Amino acid sequence: MTDDAPRSPLGLAFVGCFTTARRRARGQGIDVYRVGAGLDDWTHLGRVDGLDNPSFLVTDPTRGALYTVQGDGAAATAFTVTPDGTLRSLGSAETGGTNSVHQALDPSGRFLIVANYASGSVALMPVRPDGGLEPAAQVLPMPGAPGPHRTEQASAHPHHVVLSPDGRHVLVPDKGLDRVFILRIGGDRLEIASEAVLRPGAGSRHIAFHPGGALAFLVNELDSTVATCRWDAPSGTLTPLHCVPTLPPDFFGASTAAAIVVTPDGRFVYASNRGQDGIARFRVADSHLEPAGWTPSGGRDPRFMTLAPDGVRLLVANEQGDSLAEFTIDPGSGDLTQTGSRQSSSPCTIAFL
């Protein structure tokens, strides 16, 4: 690591933790840390408690704001972030659905787009000039027949909100319907432009784009696979091309896939397994993935992963292992080496500002 490595604007890290008995949780809310460029020095600055299940965090560097949805709840909350790491609440607003699990800001910064997992909808929430939120102005149901899993696919369950590279579309993997919905952003409305259909029972969960923009990698929770898909930006269509398992061939236990990360150079893809408690790594070869091995995640139930701001370290939130594990990425092979671990109670999301 060099002194000129990329840094987050304020050098802050936020860790959201599950808090409720329903989630078998031990967390207390959102923890705030001051971090060094190499993530070698984490200083705990404070915590926002009294907030149920801050299950996903998004930062807005332009406004100096932080947004969270509340797992199993029906609201999103906005904070303004001071340079010393203090979070000042800008209030909460209704998402128009239940169990809001993921969100993203639209390219203009005028709206927060929210996936309502339990109620099967995607909401458009206006963002005020001060960064605060208004209640959902549009709630768009995800249509289709549920998948075959009797408990996990009883209805639509949108699980992720990802902007296309050009910002014209929103991709929403739906675990309940085994589909990825592609939504068109038009002014202050969302509309369904197309959809990609995956294997019955796959349980589409999260998606990440290759930096080249022509490929996207979809992790399927229920059948523990990653599908490589072709993205056609002009038409707004996603076409599945190739599928690989996330589990080692000699693993026979219960496990579900969770998170997916692509390296900035586009050479490697990582997916986490909850149950097997490992990180699958893949090499990108043309329009498919080649399995390259598995690394222990450093704890139980690796729910979430993200790259550090330097782009060469991977952080893993082990929800039931109560830890944040840090790995360095070998630039030649993509192999992971665990370089650190710090205690965190029921961590489920990490964001930087």
Side-chain angles (χ1 to χ4, degrees), residues 204-279:
S204 306
R205 180 181 172 91
H206 281 194
I207 194 165
F209 276 95
H210 187 276
L215 294 177
F217 304 101
L218 172 70
V219 65
N220 297 303
E221 176 179 333
L222 299 180
D223 72 357
S224 297
T225 61
V226 174
T228 301
C229 304
R230 179 185 296 114
W231 170 247
D232 184 77
S235 63
T237 55
L238 189 73
T239 304
L241 301 174
H242 185 259
C243 198
V244 291
T246 65
L247 293 171
D250 59 352
F251 180 80
F252 293 93
S255 190
T256 55
I260 190 159
V261 169
V262 184
T263 56
D265 61 10
R267 297 180 60 203
F268 305 107
V269 173
Y270 303 94
S272 65
N273 293 306
R274 296 173 295 179
Q276 188 261 345
D277 294 339
I279 303 167

Side-chain angles (χ1 to χ4, degrees), residues 1 28 40 56 75 89 117 136 155 198 205 218 226 240 259-260 278 287:
M1 182 62 56
Q28 300 180 59
D40 51 356
F56 194 78
S89 178
Y117 177 90
S155 63
L198 281 298
R205 180 181 172 91
L218 172 70
V226 174
I260 190 159
S287 58

Side-chain angles (χ1 to χ4, degrees), residues 276-344:
Q276 188 261 345
D277 294 339
I279 303 167
R281 62 184 182 275
F282 306 92
R283 286 185 294 269
V284 179
D286 297 324
S287 58
H288 68 280
L289 295 180
E290 295 178 347
W294 291 263
T295 303
S297 66
R300 288 178 50 212
D301 284 358
R303 179 184 182 89
F304 176 82
M305 303 189 299
T306 188
L307 289 170
D310 61 21
V312 299
R313 299 170 193 262
L314 183 71
L315 293 176
V316 179
N318 292 301
E319 178 194 341
Q320 291 301 323
D322 291 337
S323 69
L324 301 174
E326 178 188 320
F327 299 83
T328 58
I329 301 172
D330 185 282
S333 66
D335 290 355
L336 299 175
T337 300
Q338 186 170 347
T339 53
S341 181
R342 48 190 51 83
Q343 194 277 335
S344 179

Side-chain angles (χ1 to χ4, degrees), residues 2-25:
T2 61
D3 290 340
D4 60 353
R7 300 169 185 261
S8 48
L10 296 180
L12 299 173
F14 308 93
V15 179
C17 303
F18 283 137
T19 63
T20 63
R22 178 177 178 179
R23 293 278 181 167
R24 299 181 293 132

